[in-house]
Amino acid sequence: MSRITIVQMESLIREQLPFAVESGFILESLAEGRAVVRAPYRSAFLRPGGTIAGPVMMGLADYAIYAALLSRIGLVELAVTTSFNINFLSRPGEADLIADAGIIKLGKRLAVGEVEMVSADRDDLVAHVTATYSIPPDAV
């Protein structure tokens, strides 16, 4: 069972992470150690060449892992990204992006998560992400 609700996460995002609000990211589901976040397609996300810009994909993935982590540890606002690696696998279409995140290792001070990202107009992965988060002392 998740230690936070979608409503609690959305409230945190509105109050503390305005970039996610501005990006229009939508938390679609939340379960213990898992989160699915959607970035509705916007032409403003495009870069030269007509593909979705990497920073949009990176922001979406980071948001998704953060939500998945908080589903395990509760509302620990100061859990922060300490490393982030993204592999861009194929060009996303002009469609929504969907980030499916999971926590693969949760320790006392560090958590490791991963994201599989797809473009809503096809089935193959457009990106794979791994990230490590630092958890403040006494948070877990």
Side-chain angles (χ1 to χ4, degrees):
M1 172 175 248
S2 178
R3 297 201 49 200
I4 63 169
T5 65
I6 289 177
V7 170
Q8 289 173 311
M9 186 67 190
E10 288 173 340
S11 177
L12 173 65
I13 295 303
R14 275 191 312 278
E15 296 168 12
Q16 302 292 326
L17 298 167
F19 84 90
V21 174
E22 291 296 319
S23 298
F25 298 161
I26 300 166
L27 179 58
E28 293 194 333
S29 67
L30 192 61
E32 185 178 1
R34 301 228 43 101
V36 175
V37 181
R38 177 180 296 265
Y41 173 78
R42 293 181 179 182
S43 62
F45 288 164
L46 296 179
R47 63 172 302 268
T51 188
I52 295 177
V56 172
M57 297 169 70
M58 294 165 72
L60 176 64
D62 196 41
Y63 176 107
I65 293 174
Y66 185 58
L69 175 60
L70 296 190
S71 78
R72 291 283 307 270
I73 66 173
L75 286 173
V76 179
E77 297 172 7
L78 295 179
V80 295
T81 310
T82 59
S83 71
F84 186 93
N85 180 66
I86 188 166
N87 292 294
F88 298 104
L89 302 173
S90 61
R91 181 179 168 155
E94 293 183 9
D96 293 0
L97 287 178
I98 302 165
D100 186 350
I103 300 303
I104 55 178
K105 170 74 171 147
L106 177 61
K108 291 181 181 181
R109 294 295 314 266
L110 295 175
V112 178
E114 73 174 337
V115 172
E116 291 185 345
M117 189 176 301
V118 297
S119 183
D121 63 347
R122 56 187 221 229
D123 293 330
D124 59 324
L125 292 180
V126 297
H128 180 263
V129 175
T130 56
T132 302
Y133 270 73
S134 176
I135 303 167
D138 302 320
V140 178

